PDB file of all heavy atoms in Angstrom:
ATOM      1  N   PHE A  37      29.283  42.262 -18.034  1.00  0.00           N
ATOM      2  CA  PHE A  37      27.886  42.031 -17.674  1.00  0.00           C
ATOM      3  C   PHE A  37      27.596  40.617 -17.199  1.00  0.00           C
ATOM      4  O   PHE A  37      26.585  40.371 -16.558  1.00  0.00           O
ATOM      5  CB  PHE A  37      26.919  42.457 -18.765  1.00  0.00           C
ATOM      6  CG  PHE A  37      27.183  42.011 -20.188  1.00  0.00           C
ATOM      7  CD1 PHE A  37      27.816  40.826 -20.501  1.00  0.00           C
ATOM      8  CD2 PHE A  37      26.755  42.816 -21.230  1.00  0.00           C
ATOM      9  CE1 PHE A  37      28.020  40.437 -21.818  1.00  0.00           C
ATOM     10  CE2 PHE A  37      26.943  42.442 -22.556  1.00  0.00           C
ATOM     11  CZ  PHE A  37      27.590  41.240 -22.851  1.00  0.00           C
ATOM     12  N   ALA A  56      18.321  40.934 -18.253  1.00  0.00           N
ATOM     13  CA  ALA A  56      18.909  40.824 -19.590  1.00  0.00           C
ATOM     14  C   ALA A  56      20.197  41.618 -19.607  1.00  0.00           C
ATOM     15  O   ALA A  56      20.264  42.730 -19.074  1.00  0.00           O
ATOM     16  CB  ALA A  56      17.948  41.358 -20.655  1.00  0.00           C
ATOM     17  N   VAL A  85      17.337  45.070 -15.389  1.00  0.00           N
ATOM     18  CA  VAL A  85      16.415  44.212 -14.647  1.00  0.00           C
ATOM     19  C   VAL A  85      15.027  44.832 -14.667  1.00  0.00           C
ATOM     20  O   VAL A  85      14.883  46.052 -14.674  1.00  0.00           O
ATOM     21  CB  VAL A  85      16.863  43.976 -13.181  1.00  0.00           C
ATOM     22  CG1 VAL A  85      18.202  43.273 -13.129  1.00  0.00           C
ATOM     23  CG2 VAL A  85      16.899  45.250 -12.376  1.00  0.00           C
ATOM     24  N   VAL A  92      11.299  44.798  -3.963  1.00  0.00           N
ATOM     25  CA  VAL A  92      12.681  45.284  -3.953  1.00  0.00           C
ATOM     26  C   VAL A  92      12.666  46.798  -4.106  1.00  0.00           C
ATOM     27  O   VAL A  92      12.045  47.321  -5.024  1.00  0.00           O
ATOM     28  CB  VAL A  92      13.498  44.679  -5.121  1.00  0.00           C
ATOM     29  CG1 VAL A  92      14.907  45.246  -5.137  1.00  0.00           C
ATOM     30  CG2 VAL A  92      13.541  43.172  -5.057  1.00  0.00           C
ATOM     31  N   ASP A  96      17.933  49.804  -2.717  1.00  0.00           N
ATOM     32  CA  ASP A  96      18.646  48.569  -2.376  1.00  0.00           C
ATOM     33  C   ASP A  96      19.370  48.005  -3.595  1.00  0.00           C
ATOM     34  O   ASP A  96      20.482  47.469  -3.477  1.00  0.00           O
ATOM     35  CB  ASP A  96      17.692  47.532  -1.786  1.00  0.00           C
ATOM     36  CG  ASP A  96      17.215  47.909  -0.392  1.00  0.00           C
ATOM     37  OD1 ASP A  96      17.925  48.670   0.301  1.00  0.00           O
ATOM     38  OD2 ASP A  96      16.128  47.445   0.004  1.00  0.00           O
ATOM     39  N   ARG A 117      39.340  46.445 -19.364  1.00  0.00           N
ATOM     40  CA  ARG A 117      39.611  47.871 -19.552  1.00  0.00           C
ATOM     41  C   ARG A 117      38.946  48.363 -20.818  1.00  0.00           C
ATOM     42  O   ARG A 117      38.942  47.680 -21.837  1.00  0.00           O
ATOM     43  CB  ARG A 117      41.116  48.110 -19.648  1.00  0.00           C
ATOM     44  CG  ARG A 117      41.805  47.784 -18.359  1.00  0.00           C
ATOM     45  CD  ARG A 117      43.277  47.973 -18.434  1.00  0.00           C
ATOM     46  NE  ARG A 117      43.821  47.606 -17.129  1.00  0.00           N
ATOM     47  CZ  ARG A 117      45.076  47.426 -16.897  1.00  0.00           C
ATOM     48  NH1 ARG A 117      45.956  47.595 -17.845  1.00  0.00           N
ATOM     49  NH2 ARG A 117      45.489  47.093 -15.695  1.00  0.00           N
ATOM     50  N   VAL A 124      28.307  52.760 -14.340  1.00  0.00           N
ATOM     51  CA  VAL A 124      27.244  53.684 -14.725  1.00  0.00           C
ATOM     52  C   VAL A 124      25.883  53.186 -14.253  1.00  0.00           C
ATOM     53  O   VAL A 124      25.614  51.991 -14.249  1.00  0.00           O
ATOM     54  CB  VAL A 124      27.229  53.908 -16.269  1.00  0.00           C
ATOM     55  CG1 VAL A 124      27.018  52.608 -17.030  1.00  0.00           C
ATOM     56  CG2 VAL A 124      26.214  54.954 -16.686  1.00  0.00           C
ATOM     57  N   SER A 129      13.750  57.321 -14.484  1.00  0.00           N
ATOM     58  CA  SER A 129      12.820  58.348 -13.996  1.00  0.00           C
ATOM     59  C   SER A 129      13.611  59.335 -13.150  1.00  0.00           C
ATOM     60  O   SER A 129      14.730  59.039 -12.704  1.00  0.00           O
ATOM     61  CB  SER A 129      11.710  57.721 -13.142  1.00  0.00           C
ATOM     62  OG  SER A 129      12.244  57.225 -11.917  1.00  0.00           O
ATOM     63  N   GLU A 130      13.020  60.487 -12.905  1.00  0.00           N
ATOM     64  CA  GLU A 130      13.682  61.474 -12.055  1.00  0.00           C
ATOM     65  C   GLU A 130      13.825  60.955 -10.625  1.00  0.00           C
ATOM     66  O   GLU A 130      14.798  61.265  -9.942  1.00  0.00           O
ATOM     67  CB  GLU A 130      12.919  62.808 -12.081  1.00  0.00           C
ATOM     68  CG  GLU A 130      13.093  63.568 -13.386  1.00  0.00           C
ATOM     69  CD  GLU A 130      14.557  63.875 -13.713  1.00  0.00           C
ATOM     70  OE1 GLU A 130      15.290  64.389 -12.840  1.00  0.00           O
ATOM     71  OE2 GLU A 130      14.974  63.598 -14.858  1.00  0.00           O
ATOM     72  N   GLU A 138      21.488  59.918  -4.104  1.00  0.00           N
ATOM     73  CA  GLU A 138      21.495  59.806  -2.639  1.00  0.00           C
ATOM     74  C   GLU A 138      22.302  58.600  -2.178  1.00  0.00           C
ATOM     75  O   GLU A 138      23.113  58.705  -1.249  1.00  0.00           O
ATOM     76  CB  GLU A 138      20.062  59.695  -2.104  1.00  0.00           C
ATOM     77  CG  GLU A 138      19.299  60.997  -2.093  1.00  0.00           C
ATOM     78  CD  GLU A 138      17.865  60.835  -1.591  1.00  0.00           C
ATOM     79  OE1 GLU A 138      17.547  59.807  -0.944  1.00  0.00           O
ATOM     80  OE2 GLU A 138      17.052  61.745  -1.857  1.00  0.00           O
ATOM     81  N   VAL A 143      27.195  55.853  -0.018  1.00  0.00           N
ATOM     82  CA  VAL A 143      28.288  54.894  -0.210  1.00  0.00           C
ATOM     83  C   VAL A 143      29.633  55.603  -0.163  1.00  0.00           C
ATOM     84  O   VAL A 143      30.607  55.080   0.386  1.00  0.00           O
ATOM     85  CB  VAL A 143      28.104  54.118  -1.534  1.00  0.00           C
ATOM     86  CG1 VAL A 143      29.327  53.281  -1.862  1.00  0.00           C
ATOM     87  CG2 VAL A 143      26.862  53.230  -1.461  1.00  0.00           C
ATOM     88  N   GLU A 148      37.155  55.387   0.804  1.00  0.00           N
ATOM     89  CA  GLU A 148      38.071  56.517   0.753  1.00  0.00           C
ATOM     90  C   GLU A 148      38.198  57.157  -0.625  1.00  0.00           C
ATOM     91  O   GLU A 148      38.187  58.366  -0.753  1.00  0.00           O
ATOM     92  CB  GLU A 148      39.462  56.072   1.226  1.00  0.00           C
ATOM     93  CG  GLU A 148      39.511  55.764   2.709  1.00  0.00           C
ATOM     94  CD  GLU A 148      40.904  55.351   3.157  1.00  0.00           C
ATOM     95  OE1 GLU A 148      41.890  55.824   2.547  1.00  0.00           O
ATOM     96  OE2 GLU A 148      40.999  54.568   4.103  1.00  0.00           O
ATOM     97  N   TYR A 162      20.018  47.775 -25.867  1.00  0.00           N
ATOM     98  CA  TYR A 162      20.123  46.742 -26.895  1.00  0.00           C
ATOM     99  C   TYR A 162      20.510  45.441 -26.209  1.00  0.00           C
ATOM    100  O   TYR A 162      21.577  45.343 -25.607  1.00  0.00           O
ATOM    101  CB  TYR A 162      21.183  47.113 -27.940  1.00  0.00           C
ATOM    102  CG  TYR A 162      20.852  48.366 -28.716  1.00  0.00           C
ATOM    103  CD1 TYR A 162      21.417  49.586 -28.372  1.00  0.00           C
ATOM    104  CD2 TYR A 162      19.958  48.322 -29.781  1.00  0.00           C
ATOM    105  CE1 TYR A 162      21.110  50.738 -29.084  1.00  0.00           C
ATOM    106  CE2 TYR A 162      19.643  49.476 -30.498  1.00  0.00           C
ATOM    107  CZ  TYR A 162      20.225  50.676 -30.134  1.00  0.00           C
ATOM    108  OH  TYR A 162      19.914  51.815 -30.836  1.00  0.00           O
ATOM    109  N   SER A 163      19.652  44.466 -26.303  1.00  0.00           N
ATOM    110  CA  SER A 163      19.927  43.170 -25.683  1.00  0.00           C
ATOM    111  C   SER A 163      21.143  42.537 -26.357  1.00  0.00           C
ATOM    112  O   SER A 163      21.282  42.584 -27.583  1.00  0.00           O
ATOM    113  CB  SER A 163      18.700  42.264 -25.835  1.00  0.00           C
ATOM    114  OG  SER A 163      18.883  41.085 -25.107  1.00  0.00           O
ATOM    115  N   ALA A 164      22.021  41.959 -25.544  1.00  0.00           N
ATOM    116  CA  ALA A 164      23.205  41.285 -26.072  1.00  0.00           C
ATOM    117  C   ALA A 164      22.791  39.977 -26.741  1.00  0.00           C
ATOM    118  O   ALA A 164      21.679  39.463 -26.541  1.00  0.00           O
ATOM    119  CB  ALA A 164      24.208  41.018 -24.953  1.00  0.00           C
TER     120      ALA A 164
END
Side-chain angles (χ1 to χ4, degrees):
F37 48 30
V85 298
V92 177
D96 289 336
R117 295 178 181 168
V124 59
S129 69
E130 287 302 311
E138 284 178 18
V143 171
E148 290 181 30
Y162 297 99
S163 187

